[in-house]
Amino acid sequence: MNNFTMKSNHTNSFYEIKLYAPEYAKNNYLPLIIVLDGGNNFEIVKSCIKQQSALSKKTGINSSVVVGIAHQEFEKKEKRFLDFTAPAKEYIHPKHNKFNIPKDLGGGLAFNSFIREELLPLLKANVKFDQENLTIIGHSLSGYYVLWDLLDGTSIYKNIISFSPSVWWNNDELLSLPNLSYCHKNIFIGVGEKEGDMVPGAEKIYDKIKGFTENCSLYIAPEENHGSVVIASISRALRYIFSL
């Protein structure tokens, strides 16, 4: 199965799907890693898995199927804000809105349905993977999305990796969501030391999540910023989830 484009009936959007299935996956059910913002981050995760799984006893990183979900470039900004934000009665934006936030927001539930009801069944029909060992990776706004999906209480993922989560979104709404009862999930939160206000945001959401799961790790990457934190921290994140 090669890279392909698919339209979702749930979101009414097209997505570029990028796929890495190692030769070993033909006869084995491997972990599946879903990479959001796949246009930027799929190759990073793929390269890490491909190179380090060859020496898994030393690196602690196992062979896996990697799937990237990328928005089409011409509408990426608008669709990211739609797909990666939760529904809400109102949205409170920062006073100095440097992002020029689009007006169409809150499509997170529909995006969930796209992954669960359209993408995963299609992959299942064409690629072997362990349906009980799913990982999702997000960065920035998609880093917010993966944590919102967790706190919504219906997450299907065993492992959740969130880099530089936009905890500030909608007046810090993640921090006001109800805590879950104890959950058996593994969560890695990474943020660059030089990301300003995003560092205390990551610390606060980490403190919240570690209240209901033992397996939650926070890594503040020395000298890293918003653009470098994924590359600098992905090996550490994958080692963490594969160690559990």
Side-chain angles (χ1 to χ4, degrees), residues 59-71:
T59 64
I61 292 177
N62 299 333
S63 187
S64 303
V65 176
V66 184
V67 176
I69 303 175
H71 293 95

Side-chain angles (χ1 to χ4, degrees), residues 78 80-83 85-88 91 93 101-108 141 169:
E78 291 78 10
R80 288 185 78 250
F81 274 98
L82 177 60
D83 287 344
T85 58
Y91 294 96
H93 301 320
I101 295 171
K103 62 181 180 178
D104 291 331
L105 303 167
L141 196 59
W169 174 253

Side-chain angles (χ1 to χ4, degrees), residues 167 172 175 198-209 218:
V167 178
D172 297 344
L175 300 177
M198 299 193 84
V199 177
E203 291 173 330
K204 289 176 182 177
I205 194 65
Y206 165 73
D207 287 339
K208 179 181 180 68
I209 292 172
L218 172 66

Side-chain angles (χ1 to χ4, degrees), residues 84-176:
F84 297 153
T85 58
K89 292 181 179 179
E90 65 174 332
Y91 294 96
I92 301 172
H93 301 320
K95 291 181 180 180
H96 302 289
N97 181 8
K98 63 181 179 180
F99 301 103
N100 295 317
I101 295 171
K103 62 181 180 178
D104 291 331
L105 303 167
L109 291 174
F111 188 68
N112 280 354
S113 296
F114 156 64
I115 294 176
R116 299 175 192 187
E117 299 174 19
E118 296 177 315
L119 178 59
L120 286 176
L122 180 61
L123 293 172
K124 182 182 175 183
N126 292 276
V127 182
K128 284 187 175 181
F129 64 90
D130 182 353
Q131 297 177 61
E132 302 299 318
N133 194 350
L134 305 181
T135 297
I136 191 165
I137 301 176
H139 172 241
S140 195
L141 196 59
S142 63
Y144 153 90
Y145 163 82
V146 300
L147 296 181
W148 165 75
D149 181 53
L150 167 69
L151 290 165
D152 189 52
T154 60
S155 177
I156 62 174
Y157 305 101
K158 176 183 178 182
N159 308 303
I160 297 162
I161 297 174
S162 175
F163 292 113
S164 311
S166 298
V167 178
W168 58 266
W169 174 253
N170 203 19
N171 202 28
D172 297 344
E173 69 175 5
L174 283 182
L175 300 177
S176 63

